[in-house]
Amino acid sequence: MTNYLLVANYSPNVGYAWWLMERFWSEVADIAQSRRREAYLIYPDLGDASRSVDAQTVSPVHKDGMIVDLLDYEDRSPRGSLRMLIYLRRNHIGFIYLTDKPFFSLRYLFFRMVGVKIILVHDHSPGRRDAETGVFKVLKAVKNRIPLITADGIIAVSEYVQNRHRTTSCIPERKSFVARNGIEPIDIARPRPRVQEVLGIPDSSVVVFTSGRASAYKGIDFIVECANVLINAMQYDNVHFVYCGDGPDLPRCRDLVARYQLQRRFLFLGRYDDVGALAISCDIGMHAAKGEVGFSLSILEYMSAGLATLVPDNPSVSAATIHGDTGLVYEEGSVASACKYLVHLIEHPELRALLGSNAAKVVARDYNIEGTVNSFRRIVASLS
């Protein structure tokens, strides 16, 4: 096997769950180094890269055991395609690790013509998929078995996604792998300031916490709607909602909070590096995404912090949550259903404690980042 290429989808320092991809890159680089090979990491642009890559240089730089370079993988122009092939050939690339790229692509044939032997795709793409039937299913199954223009393996981040690969995408079982999303379990015993003190809200207040990037499918607006019902319609005066994050949908969510006059009860804290520092002193974790990759890292953080976690019944979101054991599951899109369970959690602190304790144990056992990394390394090692 020759050298390894890691392809970034975004600029450096995007944040949020991208830290997990950086961990995977580091593991591939470690495998490459153990075999006396080089690992190359390409970014489409540097963005705000002052903390990671010298923004003034366009030549490769060494960082964390990788050779970091600028090259836009998505440039499909004749010039961009030629540049990619020359890059692969010049750097003796034999293994390509891709994130959220297709399993089937005609480009893979050209990559193999210049020396690439193995193409591995890691699928973090969210949402459900409708299964094909009849002749369309047969055609998809045939397409995804054509050698040279299909990847050599695809990694799912949950069993739900792996099943989607096999039944909906008709990907051969021998090419389907799973490395569950995982996090570093939160140390809830470490002293941290209570969120009530930080925000200046009453100690007796029940705090509903959510975090993540404010994009439309994350459903932050849905949580605002629930806050409106609980606070304005049902007159719960002991509840505060806290959101950590930013993103393109944030202005709309702020406008919605202002319209419902919830500025003092629905608090926007912006980007926060240590979400666990806030989460452990909250009471309820709520996630309202319209589609995830089986479960989000935010959900695992709520659970690890010992919060009673509330998620929709969409199987692409609720895979890590067992209703009545490690959290509660409401009817997706139903404010009434979500508010019913919120009220139940608000009025039953002993249930919150039980669900949170169970959830923290499950994350430590089944969703620990070390287990994720070990599974990932086995997959890469088996293919390379």
PDB file of all heavy atoms in Angstrom, residues 132-152:
ATOM      1  N   GLU A 132     -35.945   1.607  -2.364  1.00  0.00           N
ATOM      2  CA  GLU A 132     -36.381   1.328  -3.731  1.00  0.00           C
ATOM      3  C   GLU A 132     -37.084  -0.027  -3.776  1.00  0.00           C
ATOM      4  O   GLU A 132     -36.869  -0.903  -2.931  1.00  0.00           O
ATOM      5  CB  GLU A 132     -35.179   1.305  -4.672  1.00  0.00           C
ATOM      6  CG  GLU A 132     -34.381   2.601  -4.715  1.00  0.00           C
ATOM      7  CD  GLU A 132     -35.089   3.692  -5.504  1.00  0.00           C
ATOM      8  OE1 GLU A 132     -36.244   3.487  -5.903  1.00  0.00           O
ATOM      9  OE2 GLU A 132     -34.473   4.751  -5.688  1.00  0.00           O
ATOM     10  N   THR A 133     -37.930  -0.200  -4.768  1.00  0.00           N
ATOM     11  CA  THR A 133     -38.609  -1.479  -4.957  1.00  0.00           C
ATOM     12  C   THR A 133     -38.538  -1.881  -6.421  1.00  0.00           C
ATOM     13  O   THR A 133     -38.237  -1.067  -7.287  1.00  0.00           O
ATOM     14  CB  THR A 133     -40.089  -1.392  -4.530  1.00  0.00           C
ATOM     15  OG1 THR A 133     -40.739  -0.359  -5.289  1.00  0.00           O
ATOM     16  CG2 THR A 133     -40.218  -1.080  -3.046  1.00  0.00           C
ATOM     17  N   GLY A 134     -38.821  -3.148  -6.660  1.00  0.00           N
ATOM     18  CA  GLY A 134     -38.917  -3.646  -8.028  1.00  0.00           C
ATOM     19  C   GLY A 134     -37.654  -3.462  -8.839  1.00  0.00           C
ATOM     20  O   GLY A 134     -36.538  -3.668  -8.359  1.00  0.00           O
ATOM     21  N   VAL A 135     -37.829  -3.013 -10.082  1.00  0.00           N
ATOM     22  CA  VAL A 135     -36.720  -2.907 -11.007  1.00  0.00           C
ATOM     23  C   VAL A 135     -35.697  -1.860 -10.551  1.00  0.00           C
ATOM     24  O   VAL A 135     -34.490  -2.011 -10.772  1.00  0.00           O
ATOM     25  CB  VAL A 135     -37.234  -2.589 -12.434  1.00  0.00           C
ATOM     26  CG1 VAL A 135     -37.847  -1.194 -12.478  1.00  0.00           C
ATOM     27  CG2 VAL A 135     -36.102  -2.700 -13.459  1.00  0.00           C
ATOM     28  N   PHE A 136     -36.157  -0.807  -9.877  1.00  0.00           N
ATOM     29  CA  PHE A 136     -35.237   0.228  -9.414  1.00  0.00           C
ATOM     30  C   PHE A 136     -34.292  -0.326  -8.341  1.00  0.00           C
ATOM     31  O   PHE A 136     -33.112   0.025  -8.296  1.00  0.00           O
ATOM     32  CB  PHE A 136     -36.013   1.424  -8.869  1.00  0.00           C
ATOM     33  CG  PHE A 136     -36.803   2.144  -9.921  1.00  0.00           C
ATOM     34  CD1 PHE A 136     -38.173   1.987 -10.016  1.00  0.00           C
ATOM     35  CD2 PHE A 136     -36.169   2.979 -10.836  1.00  0.00           C
ATOM     36  CE1 PHE A 136     -38.901   2.637 -10.998  1.00  0.00           C
ATOM     37  CE2 PHE A 136     -36.887   3.636 -11.820  1.00  0.00           C
ATOM     38  CZ  PHE A 136     -38.258   3.466 -11.905  1.00  0.00           C
ATOM     39  N   LYS A 137     -34.806  -1.189  -7.483  1.00  0.00           N
ATOM     40  CA  LYS A 137     -33.963  -1.812  -6.478  1.00  0.00           C
ATOM     41  C   LYS A 137     -32.925  -2.721  -7.121  1.00  0.00           C
ATOM     42  O   LYS A 137     -31.752  -2.736  -6.720  1.00  0.00           O
ATOM     43  CB  LYS A 137     -34.827  -2.608  -5.494  1.00  0.00           C
ATOM     44  CG  LYS A 137     -34.023  -3.222  -4.350  1.00  0.00           C
ATOM     45  CD  LYS A 137     -34.941  -3.877  -3.343  1.00  0.00           C
ATOM     46  CE  LYS A 137     -34.129  -4.429  -2.165  1.00  0.00           C
ATOM     47  NZ  LYS A 137     -35.025  -5.037  -1.140  1.00  0.00           N
ATOM     48  N   VAL A 138     -33.347  -3.465  -8.133  1.00  0.00           N
ATOM     49  CA  VAL A 138     -32.419  -4.351  -8.844  1.00  0.00           C
ATOM     50  C   VAL A 138     -31.318  -3.532  -9.514  1.00  0.00           C
ATOM     51  O   VAL A 138     -30.124  -3.869  -9.425  1.00  0.00           O
ATOM     52  CB  VAL A 138     -33.166  -5.204  -9.890  1.00  0.00           C
ATOM     53  CG1 VAL A 138     -32.170  -5.990 -10.752  1.00  0.00           C
ATOM     54  CG2 VAL A 138     -34.136  -6.157  -9.198  1.00  0.00           C
ATOM     55  N   LEU A 139     -31.698  -2.446 -10.173  1.00  0.00           N
ATOM     56  CA  LEU A 139     -30.714  -1.603 -10.859  1.00  0.00           C
ATOM     57  C   LEU A 139     -29.726  -0.984  -9.869  1.00  0.00           C
ATOM     58  O   LEU A 139     -28.522  -0.895 -10.140  1.00  0.00           O
ATOM     59  CB  LEU A 139     -31.432  -0.506 -11.649  1.00  0.00           C
ATOM     60  CG  LEU A 139     -32.215  -0.965 -12.875  1.00  0.00           C
ATOM     61  CD1 LEU A 139     -32.998   0.197 -13.474  1.00  0.00           C
ATOM     62  CD2 LEU A 139     -31.273  -1.568 -13.911  1.00  0.00           C
ATOM     63  N   LYS A 140     -30.239  -0.548  -8.719  1.00  0.00           N
ATOM     64  CA  LYS A 140     -29.347   0.036  -7.711  1.00  0.00           C
ATOM     65  C   LYS A 140     -28.387  -1.019  -7.179  1.00  0.00           C
ATOM     66  O   LYS A 140     -27.198  -0.743  -6.967  1.00  0.00           O
ATOM     67  CB  LYS A 140     -30.171   0.630  -6.564  1.00  0.00           C
ATOM     68  CG  LYS A 140     -29.318   1.326  -5.509  1.00  0.00           C
ATOM     69  CD  LYS A 140     -30.161   1.943  -4.408  1.00  0.00           C
ATOM     70  CE  LYS A 140     -30.832   3.205  -4.877  1.00  0.00           C
ATOM     71  NZ  LYS A 140     -31.511   3.920  -3.746  1.00  0.00           N
ATOM     72  N   ALA A 141     -28.891  -2.217  -6.945  1.00  0.00           N
ATOM     73  CA  ALA A 141     -28.032  -3.294  -6.454  1.00  0.00           C
ATOM     74  C   ALA A 141     -26.940  -3.627  -7.460  1.00  0.00           C
ATOM     75  O   ALA A 141     -25.781  -3.846  -7.095  1.00  0.00           O
ATOM     76  CB  ALA A 141     -28.867  -4.530  -6.146  1.00  0.00           C
ATOM     77  N   VAL A 142     -27.294  -3.640  -8.749  1.00  0.00           N
ATOM     78  CA  VAL A 142     -26.298  -3.913  -9.796  1.00  0.00           C
ATOM     79  C   VAL A 142     -25.269  -2.790  -9.851  1.00  0.00           C
ATOM     80  O   VAL A 142     -24.056  -3.029  -9.906  1.00  0.00           O
ATOM     81  CB  VAL A 142     -26.990  -4.084 -11.167  1.00  0.00           C
ATOM     82  CG1 VAL A 142     -25.958  -4.124 -12.286  1.00  0.00           C
ATOM     83  CG2 VAL A 142     -27.840  -5.349 -11.174  1.00  0.00           C
ATOM     84  N   LYS A 143     -25.746  -1.550  -9.826  1.00  0.00           N
ATOM     85  CA  LYS A 143     -24.845  -0.389  -9.898  1.00  0.00           C
ATOM     86  C   LYS A 143     -23.831  -0.399  -8.761  1.00  0.00           C
ATOM     87  O   LYS A 143     -22.637  -0.145  -8.979  1.00  0.00           O
ATOM     88  CB  LYS A 143     -25.663   0.902  -9.843  1.00  0.00           C
ATOM     89  CG  LYS A 143     -24.836   2.168  -9.953  1.00  0.00           C
ATOM     90  CD  LYS A 143     -25.644   3.408  -9.658  1.00  0.00           C
ATOM     91  CE  LYS A 143     -25.904   3.556  -8.168  1.00  0.00           C
ATOM     92  NZ  LYS A 143     -26.513   4.857  -7.825  1.00  0.00           N
ATOM     93  N   ASN A 144     -24.288  -0.724  -7.562  1.00  0.00           N
ATOM     94  CA  ASN A 144     -23.407  -0.669  -6.400  1.00  0.00           C
ATOM     95  C   ASN A 144     -22.541  -1.912  -6.235  1.00  0.00           C
ATOM     96  O   ASN A 144     -21.878  -2.073  -5.208  1.00  0.00           O
ATOM     97  CB  ASN A 144     -24.225  -0.418  -5.131  1.00  0.00           C
ATOM     98  CG  ASN A 144     -24.651   1.029  -5.012  1.00  0.00           C
ATOM     99  OD1 ASN A 144     -24.015   1.924  -5.556  1.00  0.00           O
ATOM    100  ND2 ASN A 144     -25.735   1.273  -4.289  1.00  0.00           N
ATOM    101  N   ARG A 145     -22.550  -2.755  -7.250  1.00  0.00           N
ATOM    102  CA  ARG A 145     -21.652  -3.905  -7.264  1.00  0.00           C
ATOM    103  C   ARG A 145     -20.654  -3.844  -8.419  1.00  0.00           C
ATOM    104  O   ARG A 145     -19.872  -4.772  -8.624  1.00  0.00           O
ATOM    105  CB  ARG A 145     -22.465  -5.208  -7.337  1.00  0.00           C
ATOM    106  CG  ARG A 145     -23.075  -5.601  -6.004  1.00  0.00           C
ATOM    107  CD  ARG A 145     -24.134  -6.675  -6.140  1.00  0.00           C
ATOM    108  NE  ARG A 145     -24.558  -7.175  -4.844  1.00  0.00           N
ATOM    109  CZ  ARG A 145     -25.382  -6.518  -4.014  1.00  0.00           C
ATOM    110  NH1 ARG A 145     -25.860  -5.339  -4.370  1.00  0.00           N
ATOM    111  NH2 ARG A 145     -25.723  -7.038  -2.853  1.00  0.00           N
ATOM    112  N   ILE A 146     -20.675  -2.753  -9.167  1.00  0.00           N
ATOM    113  CA  ILE A 146     -19.748  -2.618 -10.288  1.00  0.00           C
ATOM    114  C   ILE A 146     -18.347  -2.315  -9.753  1.00  0.00           C
ATOM    115  O   ILE A 146     -18.167  -1.335  -9.017  1.00  0.00           O
ATOM    116  CB  ILE A 146     -20.194  -1.498 -11.248  1.00  0.00           C
ATOM    117  CG1 ILE A 146     -21.571  -1.811 -11.813  1.00  0.00           C
ATOM    118  CG2 ILE A 146     -19.187  -1.330 -12.386  1.00  0.00           C
ATOM    119  CD1 ILE A 146     -22.149  -0.706 -12.677  1.00  0.00           C
ATOM    120  N   PRO A 147     -17.358  -3.129 -10.070  1.00  0.00           N
ATOM    121  CA  PRO A 147     -16.011  -2.871  -9.563  1.00  0.00           C
ATOM    122  C   PRO A 147     -15.414  -1.602 -10.160  1.00  0.00           C
ATOM    123  O   PRO A 147     -15.890  -1.094 -11.181  1.00  0.00           O
ATOM    124  CB  PRO A 147     -15.235  -4.111 -10.004  1.00  0.00           C
ATOM    125  CG  PRO A 147     -15.992  -4.641 -11.183  1.00  0.00           C
ATOM    126  CD  PRO A 147     -17.432  -4.316 -10.921  1.00  0.00           C
ATOM    127  N   LEU A 148     -14.423  -1.065  -9.500  1.00  0.00           N
ATOM    128  CA  LEU A 148     -13.632   0.091  -9.927  1.00  0.00           C
ATOM    129  C   LEU A 148     -14.346   1.426  -9.759  1.00  0.00           C
ATOM    130  O   LEU A 148     -13.708   2.436  -9.475  1.00  0.00           O
ATOM    131  CB  LEU A 148     -13.148  -0.053 -11.372  1.00  0.00           C
ATOM    132  CG  LEU A 148     -12.307  -1.299 -11.684  1.00  0.00           C
ATOM    133  CD1 LEU A 148     -11.884  -1.296 -13.144  1.00  0.00           C
ATOM    134  CD2 LEU A 148     -11.086  -1.383 -10.780  1.00  0.00           C
ATOM    135  N   ILE A 149     -15.670   1.454  -9.942  1.00  0.00           N
ATOM    136  CA  ILE A 149     -16.375   2.732  -9.804  1.00  0.00           C
ATOM    137  C   ILE A 149     -17.245   2.779  -8.538  1.00  0.00           C
ATOM    138  O   ILE A 149     -18.048   3.687  -8.374  1.00  0.00           O
ATOM    139  CB  ILE A 149     -17.227   3.056 -11.045  1.00  0.00           C
ATOM    140  CG1 ILE A 149     -18.207   1.931 -11.351  1.00  0.00           C
ATOM    141  CG2 ILE A 149     -16.346   3.345 -12.238  1.00  0.00           C
ATOM    142  CD1 ILE A 149     -19.112   2.247 -12.536  1.00  0.00           C
ATOM    143  N   THR A 150     -17.067   1.796  -7.673  1.00  0.00           N
ATOM    144  CA  THR A 150     -17.691   1.829  -6.352  1.00  0.00           C
ATOM    145  C   THR A 150     -16.602   1.783  -5.298  1.00  0.00           C
ATOM    146  O   THR A 150     -15.498   1.279  -5.544  1.00  0.00           O
ATOM    147  CB  THR A 150     -18.654   0.652  -6.139  1.00  0.00           C
ATOM    148  OG1 THR A 150     -17.971  -0.573  -6.430  1.00  0.00           O
ATOM    149  CG2 THR A 150     -19.870   0.780  -7.040  1.00  0.00           C
ATOM    150  N   ALA A 151     -16.913   2.324  -4.125  1.00  0.00           N
ATOM    151  CA  ALA A 151     -15.941   2.335  -3.034  1.00  0.00           C
ATOM    152  C   ALA A 151     -15.691   0.917  -2.541  1.00  0.00           C
ATOM    153  O   ALA A 151     -16.505   0.005  -2.754  1.00  0.00           O
ATOM    154  CB  ALA A 151     -16.442   3.217  -1.903  1.00  0.00           C
ATOM    155  N   ASP A 152     -14.575   0.750  -1.863  1.00  0.00           N
ATOM    156  CA  ASP A 152     -14.219  -0.561  -1.323  1.00  0.00           C
ATOM    157  C   ASP A 152     -14.836  -0.806   0.048  1.00  0.00           C
ATOM    158  O   ASP A 152     -14.823  -1.931   0.543  1.00  0.00           O
ATOM    159  CB  ASP A 152     -12.700  -0.678  -1.237  1.00  0.00           C
ATOM    160  CG  ASP A 152     -12.059  -0.539  -2.604  1.00  0.00           C
ATOM    161  OD1 ASP A 152     -12.019  -1.535  -3.350  1.00  0.00           O
ATOM    162  OD2 ASP A 152     -11.607   0.577  -2.936  1.00  0.00           O
TER     163      ASP A 152
END
